[in-house]
Structures are given as C-alpha cells and as structure tokens.
Amino acid sequence: MNIKDYVRKKAEKFFEGAKTSHDWEHTLRVCSLCERIGPVEKADMEVLIAAALLHDIGRAEQDASFGAVCHAEKGAQMAEPIIKELFLSQARKENIIHCIRSHRFRGKCMPETAEAKVLFDADKIDAIGAVGVARAFLFAGEVGAKLHNPDIKVEDTKPYTREDTGYREYKVKLYRIRERILTCEGKKFAEERHAFMEEFFKRFTEEYDGKR
C-alpha cells in the first residue's frame, strides 16, 4: 500500500464544497512545506505526510458551528478509521492522530513529537506571508466582513462576524505566528514571510487612511 496515495484519496473527499480559505489547496501547500521541513528535522515522513493530508478534514464541522467545534479535535476523530487501515505500527498510527489533534494555533493540545512540530509549523507558515494575507481576506469575505474596521478596537471584535476582517486576523493571530514556530527550519520560512506580511499591512493601513 502506498500510504500517501491511499490517504490522499480518502482525505480529498472531505473538501468537496470547502470554503476556499481552508480548502484542499491549503492542505497540498502544507504537505509541500512538510516535505521541505520534515527531512531537515529528521521526521518520519510517512507519518508526517499522512497527518498533513488529514489535518484539516474536520474544518467543515468547525465552520458550520461558527467556531464552536474544534476542527483539530474533530479531525482526529474522523481520521481514526482511515489510519486504522494503514500498515503501520500502533505507535506510528497514534503519532498521526497526535499530529492532527495538536496542529491548531488556538488548540489545547501541544505538539510533542518531531512530526507534530513540523506539521504545526507548516500549517502556520501557510497562514503568513503573501499566501497568508490572501487567505486572511478570503476568510473575511466568507464570513461577510468588511475590508477594514478601524473604528473598533481589535480587542473588542469577535470572530466569524462582520468585524472579522483580514486586518483583525493579522493583529490577533498572524502577527504572533513567528514567535510560535517550533522547528529551526520552520523559523527560516517564518522570518521571511513575517517581514513581507508586516510591510503589507503597514502599507494597507496607510492606503486605507488615504496617507499614500
């Protein structure tokens, strides 16, 4: 059994009709980042790629609940029947589940294995830089948010509402991602992407205010 091909076929089905900010393309980008970071960090690549392909299969459940359901926890549950069929040791199967459960930025479960740390980093790296900015505004559009909301303090805004703008996502989450990266190789990607994103939002607010 080719584990990557098998898991890919199973995972892709969960993304039919998915919102574009967290669609199958996001999963494939995370996999590509894992393939670049994983070998440097001496990760078990079969475990890592299987987890990367499955990490967001619970996302639709979270979106439908307007954030009440944790997609990492739900995804770990949904992945169990798929992982059960893999020709891997029980320890490696459990590691895949752990990777999925611990990949979320706002999650309660912290990544403990090398594979979980790489997946966490790859998922976060895709949320910053040019792609991250684009995804932030895509998500804002999905929840019906405005382009910008300068009259309300970010601390007083709520997710999954018209206040959940791309700039809000930057201030409450994206700006802090660089500090949360766990692997040495991941930090290299994050530094470059963070610098671009910081410059973009500086320019964005200046243009929005009519200063440039």
Side-chain angles (χ1 to χ4, degrees):
M1 175 191 294
N2 183 305
I3 291 176
K4 181 178 180 179
D5 290 344
Y6 176 80
V7 175
R8 177 172 176 148
K9 289 179 182 178
K10 294 288 185 178
E12 190 172 4
K13 296 177 182 178
F14 290 98
F15 291 87
E16 294 175 2
K19 294 183 177 180
T20 51
S21 61
H22 291 88
D23 60 5
W24 182 240
E25 297 299 317
H26 161 66
T27 291
L28 295 181
R29 289 194 303 272
V30 170
C31 282
S32 294
L33 286 165
C34 285
E35 288 173 338
R36 296 183 66 184
I37 299 170
V40 180
E41 298 294 328
K42 297 180 171 54
D44 180 333
M45 294 306 293
E46 283 189 319
V47 167
L48 176 58
I49 296 306
L53 289 166
L54 293 165
H55 82 280
D56 261 0
I57 61 174
R59 185 75 204 192
E61 299 281 343
Q62 179 172 307
D63 290 342
S65 71
F66 297 98
V69 172
C70 172
H71 76 277
E73 290 288 344
K74 185 65 177 179
Q77 296 171 14
M78 294 165 64
E80 287 183 2
I82 299 171
I83 296 168
K84 184 178 179 181
E85 301 300 318
L86 302 180
F87 296 133
L88 297 173
S89 68
Q90 186 60 29
R92 294 173 83 195
K93 289 178 181 179
E94 290 174 1
N95 193 3
I96 295 173
I97 294 295
H98 170 66
C99 290
I100 298 169
R101 182 171 284 120
S102 64
H103 84 271
R104 190 182 179 195
F105 184 82
R106 298 182 178 96
K108 298 178 181 179
C109 180
M110 294 299 296
E112 296 179 357
T113 65
E115 295 73 29
K117 291 175 182 178
V118 172
L119 176 58
F120 180 90
D121 284 0
D123 186 55
K124 303 307 154 295
I125 290 166
D126 194 60
I128 58 178
V131 166
V133 168
R135 288 180 62 209
F137 282 102
L138 267 178
F139 180 76
E142 290 165 2
V143 299
K146 299 167 65 176
L147 179 63
H148 189 31
N149 207 4
D151 298 325
I152 302 178
K153 293 182 179 180
V154 170
E155 304 81 46
D156 298 331
T157 58
K158 298 179 180 180
Y160 290 88
T161 68
R162 279 178 54 82
E163 301 167 358
D164 203 356
T165 65
Y167 183 75
R168 177 190 183 278
E169 182 74 355
Y170 166 67
K171 294 297 288 186
V172 303
K173 176 183 176 182
L174 307 187
Y175 188 81
R176 295 158 43 206
I177 282 179
R178 178 181 59 173
E179 303 168 0
R180 293 279 301 275
I181 297 299
L182 303 172
T183 67
C184 291
E185 189 66 12
K187 291 180 190 298
K188 297 176 184 178
F189 287 85
E191 284 292 340
E192 181 182 13
R193 293 196 182 201
H194 180 91
F196 172 87
M197 184 176 64
E198 197 170 27
E199 182 60 31
F200 173 87
F201 278 105
K202 179 176 180 293
R203 174 80 183 225
F204 172 79
T205 54
E206 288 174 348
E207 289 188 10
Y208 190 91
D209 293 338
K211 296 177 180 177
R212 295 189 68 165

